[in-house]
Amino acid sequence: MSASRNQGGCGCCGGIFSLGMSALFMWLWIHTSNPKCSIQTLSLPSLSSASNLTADPTFSLTLRLVNPNQLKGIKYDPLNVTVYDFPNKSNVIGNILMPGFYQGYRKKATKPGQGTANTTVALRAVSENGTGVFRVDMATAVKFKTLYGYSKRHQIRIGADVVVNASGVKVDRKGIRLRSMAPKMGNSCVVLLGALFNSLLFAFA
């Protein structure tokens, strides 16, 4: 009798362990997070020129994109980056269009880009002490890749305020995270998975 009870206990523990592993796998499979994006560099060299209006109007920036998903790749449409003269988006300084690409799960990517800046607009945004705040927005669409193919497209629109110095270079040496006010993805999946997990625990009880 004692041996039978021990075997039954081991079987129950094994069932709970299998249940936990299955729930973890389902969580990784169902849960989806948008990519994380930050501005690593931003430079407008014409702001530091003695003859600003005749200087090279090229500006450059570098984005860093991270796929935080465990089991899903991300396919990006072209990245459309727009730089404005003020946080309230009064006027456009310039645009950069970066090619789309595929990013594996848990991978990081660094994407540099160049565009032509409206130097007149940029100069108006710089204060007398030589600093200015630009608004940088990025818009794209992504599809998540699973074993069963790609999901539908998800629109992504994110942005951040960036302070530049008198030389037209981003002041903060750290990356600046581009953020969105849209609700995070995957909340409904959490509720669904939690209900399923509780149901299975009740069945083993």
Side-chain angles (χ1 to χ4, degrees):
M1 180 68 68
S2 177
S4 299
R5 290 180 178 177
N6 290 337
Q7 291 176 356
C10 292
C12 181
C13 292
I16 294 176
F17 177 78
S18 299
L19 175 63
M21 294 301 295
S22 299
L24 176 61
F25 180 80
M26 289 179 63
W27 163 253
L28 295 176
W29 184 257
I30 295 175
H31 181 70
T32 301
S33 296
N34 282 334
K36 299 178 180 180
C37 181
S38 60
I39 302 173
Q40 299 299 305
T41 65
L42 174 64
S43 176
L44 288 82
S46 58
L47 294 185
S48 62
S49 174
S51 54
N52 303 96
L53 298 181
T54 60
D56 182 5
T58 300
F59 76 100
S60 61
L61 60 81
T62 303
L63 296 179
R64 183 175 178 82
L65 299 106
V66 178
N67 178 2
N69 294 291
Q70 292 285 352
L71 298 174
K72 295 182 179 71
I74 299 178
K75 185 176 182 180
Y76 295 83
D77 281 358
L79 312 177
N80 186 11
V81 182
T82 305
V83 181
Y84 299 91
D85 57 346
F86 291 107
N88 61 6
K89 304 181 182 181
S90 300
N91 298 285
V92 175
I93 292 177
N95 293 94
I96 296 177
L97 187 63
M98 300 180 181
F101 67 101
Y102 175 79
Q103 185 176 40
Y105 62 87
R106 303 296 295 175
K107 297 295 184 181
K108 302 176 182 178
T110 300
K111 298 293 179 181
Q114 287 189 334
T116 301
N118 186 328
T119 305
T120 302
V121 172
L123 285 171
R124 289 202 300 263
V126 178
S127 62
E128 294 182 358
N129 63 4
T131 61
V133 180
F134 298 150
R135 176 69 183 184
V136 180
D137 285 355
M138 193 273 284
T140 187
V142 299
K143 294 191 296 184
F144 298 96
K145 184 180 180 182
T146 68
L147 293 176
Y148 301 102
Y150 285 99
S151 69
K152 65 179 183 179
R153 278 186 170 82
H154 297 271
Q155 299 295 325
I156 294 180
R157 298 182 182 277
I158 52 181
D161 298 337
V162 180
V163 179
V164 299
N165 59 24
S167 298
V169 178
K170 180 172 72 73
V171 173
D172 195 339
R173 295 183 178 181
K174 297 181 180 180
I176 299 176
R177 177 81 177 272
L178 278 69
R179 300 185 181 277
S180 172
M181 297 300 294
K184 293 183 179 180
M185 301 175 58
N187 291 336
S188 60
C189 295
V190 174
V191 176
L192 178 62
L193 185 59
L196 178 60
F197 186 75
N198 288 333
S199 299
L200 290 174
L201 281 180
F202 180 78
F204 274 97

